[in-house]
Amino acid sequence: MADLNSTNQQILHYAGHFLQCRGYNGFSYKDISQKLGIKNASIHHYYPKKEDLVAALLEERRNNLAMSIAQMAESKKSAREQLQYYFDYALQEFEEGKCICPPGSVMIDFEDLPDKVKKQEILLLDDIRDWLTNVLRTGLEQGEFDFSDSVETRSEDVFVTLIGARMLSSIKGRKTLVRSISSIKSGLGWRD
């Protein structure tokens, strides 16, 4: 990935915001350059093509996820605490106007995406699913959760429900996301 100086960080920040609010085909370098008060050529300096920018952004999200997972493991967070972090993150992004999660933001256009973006999208989806599976397995083994279907099936259900809830909440509002999180918790046998 390119060096992460201030301009590059700002480019990634606005690209992420636009991607999560409008999807892959819903923004251009012009949108970012107008926000930053720079020329499109400045963005092309870091990312020659939009696919380079979005692939770098998804890779950054994967790296951030890996760091968060490592921090939670280091601080010995319980499975419930880790899952609550995931829910809180979704709610925080919603409050910031990012209604669609990073992987959800490119799913609609997936078949038309450049291979470089598809690759990063699949890696991010796999990273999230693997993390969720591990958290649910640990929580089930330690008695924090109580469900009867397979851990893999339940982790996929959690992930799909949250992605769908984030999309629907962009139309129906925050209560939709909150209700979905409650439903997920209930399905895991989570008692507060």
Side-chain angles (χ1 to χ4, degrees):
M1 189 189 302
D3 66 65
L4 293 179
N5 67 32
S6 177
T7 302
N8 192 4
Q9 282 292 349
Q10 290 177 336
I11 291 168
L12 287 171
H13 169 78
Y14 283 110
H17 181 78
F18 287 130
L19 183 68
Q20 286 184 254
C21 293
R22 301 180 186 174
Y24 184 85
N25 290 317
F27 77 98
S28 67
Y29 279 18
K30 181 180 178 185
D31 296 311
I32 299 168
S33 65
Q34 287 178 335
K35 281 285 191 187
L36 295 175
I38 61 176
K39 296 182 188 270
N40 285 359
S42 298
I43 300 170
H44 285 283
H45 168 74
Y46 294 99
Y47 305 101
K49 298 185 220 169
K50 186 175 181 179
E51 68 188 75
D52 299 320
L53 172 59
V54 174
L57 180 63
L58 293 172
E59 183 180 4
E60 179 187 57
R61 297 298 167 97
R62 290 183 57 232
N63 291 336
N64 291 345
L65 174 65
M67 285 190 298
S68 293
I69 292 169
Q71 288 170 348
M72 286 187 281
E74 187 177 303
S75 65
K76 309 237 187 281
K77 298 277 188 206
S78 70
R80 274 186 173 188
E81 290 171 322
Q82 290 184 58
L83 200 52
Q84 186 61 53
Y85 171 85
Y86 184 54
F87 297 148
D88 291 344
Y89 179 78
L91 288 165
Q92 176 189 342
E93 284 205 327
F94 180 84
E95 298 300 331
E96 293 172 359
K98 301 173 189 169
C99 298
I100 305 172
C101 63
S105 64
V106 294
M107 282 182 180
I108 294 170
D109 302 311
F110 188 80
E111 290 305 316
D112 298 325
L113 293 174
D115 288 341
K116 181 185 271 190
V117 176
K118 284 182 180 180
K119 177 184 175 190
Q120 287 301 320
E121 169 76 348
I122 290 169
L123 290 170
L124 180 57
L125 290 168
D126 289 346
D127 289 351
I128 294 168
R129 190 196 60 234
D130 292 348
W131 170 76
L132 272 172
T133 301
N134 290 333
V135 167
L136 294 184
R137 180 174 290 114
T138 299
L140 192 59
E141 290 168 356
Q142 295 182 356
E144 294 179 74
F145 303 132
D146 181 25
F147 55 89
S148 59
D149 47 352
S150 76
V151 172
E152 291 77 12
T153 298
R154 184 56 59 122
S155 69
E156 195 165 290
D157 288 348
V158 168
F159 189 38
V160 168
T161 299
L162 199 55
I163 286 175
R166 288 192 64 179
M167 289 182 179
L168 187 58
S169 67
S170 68
I171 298 167
K172 293 288 201 172
R174 186 178 191 275
K175 287 181 182 179
T176 300
L177 185 54
V178 171
R179 277 193 304 267
S180 293
I181 289 170
S182 255
S183 177
I184 291 169
K185 287 180 173 182
S186 177
L188 294 174
W190 183 317
R191 307 284 181 259
D192 287 325

